[in-house]
Amino acid sequence: MADVFQATVRIFRYNPEVDTKPHWKEYTVEVEPTDRVVDVLHKIKWYQDGTLAFRRSCLHGICGSDAMVINGRNALACKVLMKTLGPKVVIEPLRGFRVIKDLVVDMEPFFAKYRSILPYLINYDPPPARERRQSPTERARFDDTTKCILCAACTTSCPSFWANPHYIGPAAIVQAHRFIFDSRDQAWAERLRILADRDGVWRCRSVFNCVEACPREINIKKAIAEVQQAIITGSRDL
Ligand code: SF4
Ligand code: FES
């Protein structure tokens, strides 16, 4: 256990039911290099301060529920190892969302934008006797954007979103891309109309903080460019 070290963890705290304003609280925790940030949050919550609130579920980078700002960068707490951070760690809630308590933010406006792009397959033809077939090439067309776990790390790292919370944001564009370029889908033109709105895809200013923030390493830059190109040409056959 020679590698065990003491970490100072500074956490944004705010309980609107009792606090007049947010404040920081510091905890000293014994950690192993292979502990993840979520393990450290558990140590604090279970052994030091049960009032600390944060979201997590799968603990394996799949559910997207524990995105937060760790030492200034958006990340999933279950994917960041303490050995990559060192003995001083600062943890904040995602920026640009209302804080419900501590690290828990109100995700409803984010999911409203997600719903607005019709995130499901739409096909008006009568159902076939078997599945709707697709070639490997057609499937590969949108493979990257199927990886999105709706963690919001991209949208909340975006200066355009901070400046204008009505901007639909990269996550909704990525989700729209997943269906727009699905050969089986017949509502792609409707989605392009939605994304051509004043708060749609043209609000992207190509800063691309989102690309760095995405824990799934989705090529968000490419997805946004392809959606913009489809709007310009009126076609998804780029
Ligand atoms: Fe999270 Fe990446 Fe999806 Fe954005 S595109 S919501 S960062 S998984
Ligand atoms: Fe599910 Fe981290 S807890 S992604």
Side-chain angles (χ1 to χ4, degrees), residues 55-66 76-78 149:
R55 284 198 184 101
R56 78 289 191 205
S57 181
C58 72
L59 303 179
H60 289 286
I62 297 299
C63 73
S65 64
D66 63 342
L76 299 176
C78 66
I149 55 173

Side-chain angles (χ1 to χ4, degrees), residues 6-17:
Q6 300 274 324
T8 307
V9 186
R10 198 162 184 254
I11 303 182
F12 173 102
R13 301 296 310 267
Y14 181 48
N15 179 355
E17 289 183 4

Side-chain angles (χ1 to χ4, degrees), residues 64 67 76 110 145 147-155 170-172 174-175 210 213-218 220:
L76 299 176
F110 174 79
T145 45
K147 296 178 195 152
C148 176
I149 55 173
L150 288 168
C151 68
C154 54
T155 297
V174 162
Q175 287 287 336
C210 54
C214 179
R216 305 289 291 174
E217 297 176 2
I218 295 168
I220 303 176

Side-chain angles (χ1 to χ4, degrees), residues 95-96 113 155-167 199 203 205:
R95 295 174 180 141
K113 288 172 188 168
T155 297
T156 57
S157 71
C158 172
S160 292
F161 169 70
W162 298 336
N164 172 16
H166 299 296
Y167 169 40
D199 292 320
R203 289 267 172 205
R205 296 289 185 266

